[in-house]
């Protein structure tokens, strides 16, 4: 009983920041993302009655006991859904360096949800796969779909109304995303810990909640109407608000370094020079810059000139789940 699936990473335009239920990965707010063409995780899962435990091999190496425990916890849900108790061997490969500043948990759990359910004989649709992927890592629910995707937070306590759905196909509006690597050093505060600490201690978190729904609705409108200037200004402001909440947490923390600020300043200077480019930053120091395809080379060249930029990766909207 074997299946292989591939899912792509996504970047948040409107951020998922804070949970209302930790164990069910239910978010405090709606979020919006672009699935990227360039970076993906491919996962093969094989269930066998011969295995005494699950095995997880990540990029050809046996995973740590912490990662193994997360995978087993996830597969326990899949076993529970199928009524089978078999263990599995999971082989997962990222086509991007794990330390390159891209969230691998989103593509990782989306691919695992698809491959594991198919391998165990379940036939789930995308909505059910999105709900399942969410239980591995929140942002994974968005990587089930390609293009532009929303995650509706839902209201119910059991999470049955919290899943992602497509907003716009990638081919409907081709935007460019220049992903800027300023460091590959692992962050000291994980996004999971960071959002939890912020919800529990930051006096600025209520300001986030007061404004994020309006950001979400305006960004969605901008997407539907292909209004790049509006979309860009909203996503920048939303990212800055998310990062501002971390400064008010106890103890406070900050995901940026000085090179992050250099990239922000360069994007502002590009705009002063007439090139429409806008930044967003997830839970780390690396920056993603959105622009239109006609400007992508100019934007990339100007960012690569910055002394503290290590690399840039040019991405476009990418596909949803595929089975191999
Ligand atoms: C996002 N981030 O919307 C936001 C923006 C980081 C900043 O989703 O605890 O790895 O596994 O649900 O999904 C990163 O958090 O956290 C994230 P868990 P996840 O993309």
């Amino acid at each position: 009983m074997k299946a292989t699936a591939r899912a792509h990473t996504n970047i948040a335009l409107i951020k998922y920041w804070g949970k209302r239920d930790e164990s069910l990965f239910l978010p405090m707010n709606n979020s919006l993302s672009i699935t990227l063409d360039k970076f993906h995780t491919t996962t093969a899962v094989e269930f066998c009655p011969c295995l005494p435990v699950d095995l997880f091999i990540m990029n050809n190496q046996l995973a740590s006991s912490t990662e193994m425990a997360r995978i087993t916890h996830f597969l326990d849900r899949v076993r529970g859904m199928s009524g089978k108790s078999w263990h599995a061997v999971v082989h997962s490969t990222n086509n991007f360096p794990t330390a390159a500043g891209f969230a691998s948990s989103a593509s990782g759990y989306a691919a695992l949800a698809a491959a594991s359910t198919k391998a165990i004989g379940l036939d789930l649709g995308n909505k059910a796969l999105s709900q399942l992927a969410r239980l591995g890592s929140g942002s994974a629910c968005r990587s089930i779909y390609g293009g532009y995707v929303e995650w509706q937070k839902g209201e119910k306590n059991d999470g049955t109304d919290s899943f992602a759905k497509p907003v716009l196909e990638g081919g409907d509006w081709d935007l460019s995303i220049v992903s800027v690597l300023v460091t590959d050093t692992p962050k000291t505060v994980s996004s999971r810990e960071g959002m939890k600490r912020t919800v529990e201690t930051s006096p600025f978190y209520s300001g986030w909640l007061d404004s994020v729904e309006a950001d979400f609705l305006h960004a969605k409108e901008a997407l539907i109407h292909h209004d790049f200037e509006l979309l860009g200004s909203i996503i920048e402001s939303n990212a800055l608000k998310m990062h501002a909440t971390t400064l008010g947490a106890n103890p406070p923390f900050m995901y940026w370094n000085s090179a992050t600020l250099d990239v922000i300043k360069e994007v502002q200077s590009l705009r002063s020079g007439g090139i429409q480019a806008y930044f967003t930053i997830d839970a780390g120091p690396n920056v993603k810059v959105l622009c239109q395809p006609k400007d992508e080379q100019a934007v990339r060249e100007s960012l690569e000139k910055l002394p503290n930029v290590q690399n840039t990766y040019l991405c476009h909207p990418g596909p949803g789940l595929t089975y191999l």
Side-chain angles (χ1 to χ4, degrees):
M1 301 186 78
K2 185 174 178 185
T4 304
R6 175 173 293 168
H8 289 241
T9 57
N10 71 75
I11 58 153
L13 300 177
I14 301 297
K15 310 298 182 188
Y16 149 48
W17 194 240
K19 295 183 182 71
R20 62 187 166 88
D21 184 312
E22 300 272 329
S23 63
L24 291 178
F25 294 76
L26 298 179
M28 291 285 227
N29 61 272
N30 294 319
S31 58
L32 198 62
S33 58
I34 307 182
T35 302
L36 301 181
D37 58 349
K38 195 157 264 176
F39 303 114
H40 55 70
T41 303
T42 306
T43 298
V45 178
E46 184 165 17
F47 285 95
C48 180
C50 56
L51 291 167
V53 289
D54 296 316
L55 279 177
F56 178 36
I57 294 139
M58 180 73 206
N59 293 329
N60 294 320
Q61 286 196 322
L62 201 58
S64 68
S65 54
T66 315
E67 286 172 306
M68 197 61 256
R70 265 183 84 178
I71 297 289
T72 288
H73 184 62
F74 185 85
L75 291 176
D76 283 343
R77 291 186 188 274
V78 177
R79 284 184 276 261
M81 291 162 78
S82 73
K84 296 193 180 86
S85 57
W86 298 355
H87 288 99
V89 187
V90 177
H91 275 271
S92 208
T93 315
N94 292 332
N95 78 333
F96 53 96
T98 302
F102 296 100
S104 57
S105 67
S107 52
Y109 278 96
L112 181 63
S116 62
T117 51
K118 188 166 183 216
I120 213 162
L122 294 166
D123 182 18
L124 302 188
N126 279 345
K127 178 176 152 186
L129 283 174
S130 178
Q131 285 174 315
L132 177 63
R134 191 198 78 223
L135 295 166
S137 189
S139 53
C141 76
R142 300 186 308 231
S143 275
I144 299 295
Y145 297 101
Y148 303 84
V149 182
E150 70 176 284
W151 173 9
Q152 58 173 52
K153 65 187 172 80
E155 304 291 339
K156 294 182 183 168
N157 289 337
D158 64 3
T160 50
D161 57 351
S162 184
F163 50 84
K165 50 187 189 184
V167 175
L168 211 63
E169 295 297 318
D172 287 345
W173 195 18
D174 189 22
L175 291 183
S176 308
I177 303 102
V178 181
S179 187
V180 186
L181 181 74
V182 297
T183 178
D184 57 10
T185 309
K187 56 197 173 201
T188 52
V189 181
S190 71
S191 46
R192 189 166 297 186
E193 160 60 19
M195 66 174 88
K196 181 170 160 43
R197 193 188 300 174
T198 304
V199 171
E200 289 171 357
T201 66
S202 177
F204 306 151
Y205 191 67
S206 58
W208 166 260
L209 287 181
D210 286 346
S211 60
V212 65
E213 185 61 16
D215 286 353
F216 171 78
L217 292 172
H218 291 147
K220 218 173 128 176
E221 281 292 300
L223 271 182
I224 289 161
H225 295 110
H226 297 195
D227 186 337
F228 185 65
E229 202 172 339
L230 181 61
L231 181 69
S233 62
I234 296 166
I235 66 152
E236 257 191 30
S237 146
N238 186 261
L240 291 172
K241 281 187 278 194
M242 182 202 110
H243 286 271
T245 67
T246 72
L247 303 182
N250 183 15
F253 61 104
M254 185 190 270
Y255 284 120
W256 302 1
N257 64 24
S258 57
T260 309
L261 210 51
D262 292 342
V263 175
I264 290 174
K265 295 282 172 204
E266 185 63 24
V267 170
Q268 289 170 339
S269 129
L270 279 166
R271 277 213 298 276
S272 307
I275 293 182
Q276 281 187 328
Y278 297 87
F279 63 83
T280 186
I281 308 165
D282 283 330
N286 299 307
V287 186
K288 281 88 186 177
V289 180
L290 254 75
C291 62
Q292 295 171 95
K294 67 182 170 62
D295 297 321
E296 65 186 27
Q297 288 312 331
V299 169
R300 198 173 179 189
E301 278 164 26
S302 75
L303 293 168
E304 282 184 342
K305 281 191 195 124
L306 298 175
N308 291 321
V309 164
Q310 293 190 12
N311 215 336
T312 65
Y313 306 87
L314 179 59
C315 303
H316 293 272
L321 271 183
T322 49
Y323 292 91
L324 306 176

